[in-house]
Amino acid sequence: MASTMRLKARVPDPRAASVLLAALVVGWAVLARQTSEHWWWVAVIDLIPPQLLLPLFGVLAWRTRQLRWVVWNAAAAAFLVFQVGLVLPSERPAAADPITLLSLNTLDASADPARIAELARREGADVVALQEAPYRDRPGDTYAARVRAAFPGWSTAHQGELLTLTRLPLLESRTLRFPQTGHALLVTRLRTETGEVTVVNIHLPTLALLTDIARSGEPLTLPERVAWRLQLRRELPGAVRQVQATAPAAVVLVGDMNAPARGELHSLLRATGLRDAFVQAGVGFGFTYAARFGFTRLDYAWGDDVVFTAAHVLPAVLSDHRPLLVRFGLHAGTTSSSVSQP
């Protein structure tokens, strides 16, 4: 009898556990939104999908069997769901002559160019932004050449692994490099029926938790390697402002940013005046990774002086990412960025 009583005493109080778990979720959210691009250990923890904690709320609600604690756990679980990135249905804005943009990480040029082109035609894409599409892979048989052949009549621009194709008039393409790390963006300026738009194709690196995917010249220890890549990512808002300062009209930033939808990078981008297409015009979680069983959103389109009318993650499995499709219109009468420059 005494041993049974001692065993019961060791069982955690589900009410106290409910409070601690809710505090953990809220603390995780605050840390991620404020420091995930500065503190390497927060960035590493933020890679863990928060939805893994959802079953615990169900268990605790069942253990307490009291209405107020059931409500408490349900509210904490709802907060967690929104922290994962849930976007609820709402009225979507309309725009005249919307532009359709398709973005895909090709997984080291493994996505079939013919299937990408078929998908682009089916969705009526005007612009296709590809990442991990190296321009030189085999002499005389480059992946970019195969992609161009699958898009006859389209204009193309490339920079390293970034490839942008468009059936709109291509006015200019250039490379923009981050000043400290040298990371490159592909900037293209296009003409549409309603004005000009600058499309920035981007691929931010992962945090390289494993040394076998670290780049030459990067630090070898985990804290130093992650800190170096976070420094690279923190240069993005400055590059965005540089594009905004020189772009004659609207700007769209699109690509694989390797950042979950809850972190500090989103706050930094919003401070530049950009708006997340999926938040503005999507529904659901918008998971783009992994393709067969999605659990996080890594691919984004952000816009300045544009109106996103639709944002969808397509079901097609072409690589380890799912394709992101967005439609947007240009603000009438807009000729320059709405963001004031320092």
Side-chain angles (χ1 to χ4, degrees), residues 48-309:
I48 303 172
Q51 57 266 37
L52 292 178
L53 296 177
L54 281 175
L56 295 180
F57 288 108
V59 171
L60 290 173
W62 176 79
R63 287 287 309 278
T64 57
R65 299 183 184 181
Q66 297 179 10
L67 179 60
R68 62 178 177 176
W69 288 106
V70 170
V71 173
W72 171 277
N73 282 286
F79 176 86
L80 180 61
V81 168
F82 281 99
Q83 177 69 5
V84 174
L86 176 64
V87 176
L88 296 177
S90 63
E91 185 177 355
R92 302 308 182 200
D97 300 315
I99 299 107
T100 300
L101 188 155
L102 178 71
S103 177
L104 175 68
N105 181 314
T106 67
L107 183 57
D108 290 327
S110 64
D112 183 358
R115 293 186 63 196
I116 299 174
E118 178 185 359
L119 179 64
R121 285 191 292 269
R122 185 167 64 245
E123 298 295 338
D126 301 295
V127 185
V128 176
L130 303 179
Q131 303 86 45
E132 293 193 20
Y135 186 64
R136 293 183 177 85
D137 48 2
R138 293 193 298 272
D141 184 23
T142 67
Y143 183 72
R146 298 197 297 275
V147 172
R148 286 198 303 270
F151 287 84
W154 288 47
S155 300
T156 61
H158 64 86
Q159 162 55 48
E161 54 145 324
L162 303 174
L163 181 62
T164 301
L165 306 100
T166 180
R167 59 180 179 177
L168 300 173
L170 175 59
L171 304 178
E172 176 191 12
S173 67
R174 60 187 177 93
T175 299
L176 177 62
R177 294 192 177 276
F178 294 174
Q180 296 183 358
T181 59
H183 192 72
L185 308 177
L186 176 58
V187 183
T188 53
R189 185 163 57 92
L190 311 175
R191 179 186 295 123
T192 76
E193 293 183 357
T194 53
E196 292 184 9
V197 59
T198 298
V199 176
V200 182
N201 191 347
I202 181 174
H203 183 198
L204 293 180
T206 65
L207 296 181
L209 301 185
L210 304 177
T211 56
D212 60 349
I213 61 174
R215 296 176 177 179
S216 176
E218 286 186 348
L220 293 180
T221 66
L222 175 63
E224 292 177 340
R225 190 167 65 251
V226 174
W228 188 90
R229 292 204 170 195
L230 291 179
Q231 177 187 348
L232 182 157
R233 290 149 65 105
R234 291 195 301 272
E235 290 191 86
L236 176 58
V240 167
R241 290 189 174 93
Q242 185 176 342
V243 173
Q244 290 172 314
T246 57
V251 174
V252 174
L253 175 72
V254 64
D256 176 7
M257 299 188 189
N258 272 309
R262 57 190 173 270
E264 184 186 5
L265 183 62
H266 287 64
S267 299
L268 297 175
L269 289 177
R270 283 194 298 269
T272 69
L274 295 181
R275 292 297 176 263
D276 184 347
F278 197 82
V279 171
Q280 189 173 89
V283 175
F285 292 101
F287 293 153
T288 61
Y289 185 86
R292 296 189 181 278
F293 185 74
F295 62 87
T296 190
R297 184 156 67 102
L298 299 182
D299 303 81
Y300 301 86
W302 291 75
D304 177 22
D305 288 338
V306 303
V307 178
F308 289 106
T309 61

